[in-house]
Amino acid sequence: MNQLTQQIYQHVCQLDPDQKEFQQAVYTFLLSMDKIVDELPEIGYHKVIERMVEPERAIIFRVPWIDDEGRLQINRGFRVQQSSALGPYKGGLRFHPSVNLSIMKFLAFEQVFKNSLTGLPMGGGKGGSDFNPKGKSEAEVMRFCQSFMTELYRHIGPDTDVPAGDIGVGGREVGYMFGQYKRITDTFTGVLTGKGQSFGGSLIRPEATGYGLVYFCNEILQGEGKKLEGKTCLVSGSGNVAQYTVEKLNQFGARVVTLSDSSGMIYDEEGITPEKLEYVKQLKNVKRGRIREYAEKYKGVTYIPRTGEGANPIWDIKADYAFPCATQNEINEEDAANLIKNGIQLVGEGANMPCAAAAEKLFIDKGVLLAPAKAANAGGVAVSGLEMSQNSMRLKWTSAEVDQKLQQIMRGIYENASAAADKYSEHNNFVDGANIAGFLKVADAMIAQGYV
Ligand code: NDP
């Protein structure tokens, strides 16, 4: 690291020594900044990076709710409003027991550059709660969402901050939160994205992150004269991003052989066909079941339970391309070494920061094509941005129109990241390319807007 980025990193670590995920996100970002800070002295002069690593605002609040036994439960709610340089804060809400300020800050930080890459006028933010929707009744989820929004509503608005879904927050939760916002404020606005189709949701929003990931990776592969057709792919997770990644990979003629959840993974050598994927959607989205049940339903499928730390067996299966779509740090250095040993050629990050810093370095050093989350999973927020436009204009585009715009946006992100990599770093270093291309636009706006 050079002197400036080293100082910034040390300051971030000293200020919040326990925020490991946030430190990791800042660290990998600063490695890319090393490539430009000497060439662009105004970045240092205006303390652009120093300002960027500090959220504009971070709100922490109590969320009391009553469970089905009539007992009071209390969770912690968060909204980190990282940057409004390019537009209203925009980013998802995560409901998962692991949620804490470090995870919220890492996600909000990454969101700023991701949103910048889409080319749409959106700032960056993230929020959520340590509430665990798993095993809760419909009524409990609704009461929790209503209580969460009863505090959050005063900090958001269609021109201020527009949340969406993330882990544990899908159409159901967005619907309950939207209903409560509408009730409290007596306004019907596009204050949340990922809404139901009947009340302002955009077509293709549920599909957008997974589809966008595959579109982006396809651009990279085409640039190398490679393709998806006929290739074997690993996908982790079995939620929203994983499901639509599999759907689009199938459409491109690839064969996906794995899925997982936090309890374990399935290996289906024959491939997860569109029919089997429909079963997964029902299992996970309607029945809220476990991926283990897939192996009970289909013959010849292996289920491997997850046993704590160490190497994850999903990354030790021979394949051409890997798509981590579950959660942060799901590929450690050992997993990366296993993937490389088995000849992996591309890793497309559907989840946010799924690769530990050492894993990321190993992929780059060994010439594996790495599609970083900031760029590769930006399709979700891009279509959220399109949902905001449709809500403001009070109209609705067709699936084909939205899908076409999504493809255009993902191609644009590829071209910008690729050009920035060639100019400031090295050919095909999409990590540097995405960080630098996303950063430069935000930096320009921050300098123009003065010291705020
Ligand atoms: P979902 O809640 O729909 O699915 C998450 C999946 O990941 C589930 O299968 C879940 O398993 C699994 N998972 C969660 N935590 C862990 C863990 N600690 N270990 C192993 N598996 C785990 O979330 P999404 O699909 O929406 O999000 C997945 C990732 O994609 C996240 O990193 C998110 O930030 C990112 N992302 C999502 C976007 C979106 O539009 N939804 C946009 C951009 C990024 P289980 O059921 O056991 O919890």
Side-chain angles (χ1 to χ4, degrees):
M1 273 187 173
N2 79 17
Q3 208 189 344
L4 176 68
T5 52
Q6 178 86 38
Q7 274 171 5
I8 295 172
Y9 183 60
Q10 277 170 357
H11 180 66
V12 163
C13 295
Q14 275 161 10
L15 209 56
D16 295 301
D18 55 338
Q19 294 182 0
K20 299 297 176 209
E21 292 85 0
F22 180 59
Q23 290 170 15
Q24 181 186 338
V26 170
Y27 175 75
T28 53
F29 171 77
L30 290 175
L31 292 180
S32 300
M33 293 301 101
D34 273 348
K35 313 266 168 64
I36 57 169
V37 285
D38 289 337
E39 222 173 296
L40 304 169
E42 64 273 26
I43 305 287
Y45 179 79
H46 294 290
K47 297 203 170 180
V48 175
I49 305 175
E50 289 91 326
R51 284 190 278 158
M52 276 183 184
V53 296
E54 198 61 39
E56 288 178 16
R57 196 174 296 108
I59 302 142
I60 302 183
F61 51 97
R62 182 202 301 156
V63 190
W65 57 281
I66 306 286
D67 70 18
D68 286 347
E69 273 74 52
R71 286 180 311 221
L72 174 64
Q73 301 287 344
I74 295 157
N75 285 97
R76 181 172 280 183
F78 299 88
R79 186 70 184 167
V80 176
Q81 298 178 329
Q82 189 76 24
S83 169
S84 59
L86 299 184
Y89 309 107
K90 179 90 197 86
L93 296 170
R94 175 177 292 192
F95 291 169
H96 193 272
S98 64
V99 162
N100 58 32
L101 187 57
S102 173
I103 290 180
M104 294 288 96
K105 280 178 65 180
F106 116 65
L107 289 163
F109 183 72
E110 298 244 305
Q111 194 79 44
V112 175
F113 310 106
K114 181 186 309 193
N115 293 2
S116 163
L117 284 167
T118 66
L120 300 174
M122 300 182 288
K126 201 84 186 188
S129 173
D130 58 2
F131 172 75
N132 186 1
K134 235 177 271 167
K136 302 290 189 302
S137 70
E138 282 290 324
E140 287 176 325
V141 171
M142 189 195 295
R143 284 197 292 273
F144 175 82
C145 289
Q146 290 179 339
S147 181
F148 183 83
M149 186 50 84
T150 301
E151 173 57 35
L152 186 69
Y153 91 94
R154 69 189 81 243
H155 308 290
I156 63 174
D159 295 318
T160 311
D161 184 350
V162 183
D166 189 77
I167 291 179
V169 178
R172 173 181 68 166
E173 291 76 15
V174 168
Y176 293 151
M177 287 190 275
F178 179 80
Q180 184 71 351
Y181 182 89
K182 182 168 65 69
R183 179 189 189 194
I184 296 172
T185 62
D186 198 19
T187 57
F188 193 112
T189 65
V191 68
L192 288 156
T193 56
K195 299 183 291 295
Q197 294 300 322
S198 55
F199 52 98
S202 176
L203 289 160
I204 304 290
R205 176 59 189 92
E207 295 88 343
T209 307
Y211 279 18
L213 169 65
V214 179
Y215 292 145
F216 184 81
C217 291
N218 189 46
E219 293 289 337
I220 294 183
L221 291 170
Q222 278 183 343
E224 292 300 290
K226 297 181 176 175
K227 51 188 183 175
L228 285 161
E229 194 184 348
K231 300 295 180 184
T232 304
C233 300
L234 308 176
V235 174
S236 66
S238 48
N240 172 272
V241 180
Q243 290 169 17
Y244 290 103
T245 297
V246 176
E247 186 161 292
K248 191 50 79 178
L249 285 170
N250 278 340
Q251 288 170 16
F252 271 95
R255 181 174 58 109
V256 182
V257 294
T258 60
L259 278 173
S260 66
D261 58 24
S262 50
S263 316
M265 59 158 288
I266 56 111
Y267 173 53
D268 183 350
E269 201 187 346
E270 279 184 1
I272 299 160
T273 58
E275 295 71 32
K276 290 173 177 173
L277 181 60
E278 275 316 304
Y279 168 76
V280 173
K281 287 182 187 172
Q282 287 296 318
L283 175 70
K284 299 300 284 190
N285 309 347
V286 182
K287 236 183 99 193
R288 302 192 186 272
R290 311 301 297 158
I291 202 65
R292 172 182 37 79
E293 295 168 56
Y294 181 104
E296 290 158 10
K297 182 167 172 68
Y298 297 107
K299 287 206 178 66
V301 178
T302 313
Y303 175 72
I304 307 173
R306 181 91 179 98
T307 51
E309 300 300 307
N312 187 337
I314 199 167
W315 308 126
D316 203 5
I317 289 171
K318 193 165 171 48
D320 301 294
Y321 309 138
F323 299 87
C325 295
T327 193
Q328 64 273 359
N329 289 325
E330 55 173 311
I331 298 184
N332 61 27
E333 194 174 9
E334 204 181 338
D335 296 321
N338 283 338
L339 284 164
I340 292 165
K341 171 194 77 186
N342 287 327
I344 209 79
Q345 294 167 47
L346 171 140
V347 176
E349 297 187 337
N352 283 310
M353 205 166 74
C355 298
E360 189 174 290
K361 184 171 182 313
L362 204 55
F363 289 135
I364 292 173
D365 288 350
K366 298 289 179 191
V368 174
L369 294 164
L370 181 57
K374 276 186 199 82
N377 72 21
V381 75
V383 173
S384 275
L386 301 178
E387 183 170 322
M388 288 166 72
S389 303
Q390 293 170 79
N391 291 164
S392 296
M393 294 188 284
R394 288 184 157 63
L395 53 76
K396 192 157 175 137
W397 294 324
T398 63
S399 291
E401 281 174 302
V402 179
D403 194 30
Q404 200 207 357
K405 289 182 203 298
L406 171 63
Q407 291 184 50
Q408 254 169 19
I409 290 170
M410 297 316 293
R411 190 171 308 122
I413 296 175
Y414 165 76
E415 284 164 1
N416 285 340
S418 196
D422 287 344
K423 182 165 178 194
Y424 295 106
S425 175
E426 60 214 357
H427 185 58
N428 278 351
N429 188 329
F430 298 102
V431 174
D432 281 345
N435 280 332
I436 293 169
F439 166 82
L440 287 176
K441 197 171 149 204
V442 184
D444 185 58
M446 285 175 73
I447 292 170
Q449 290 170 20
Y451 295 162
V452 291

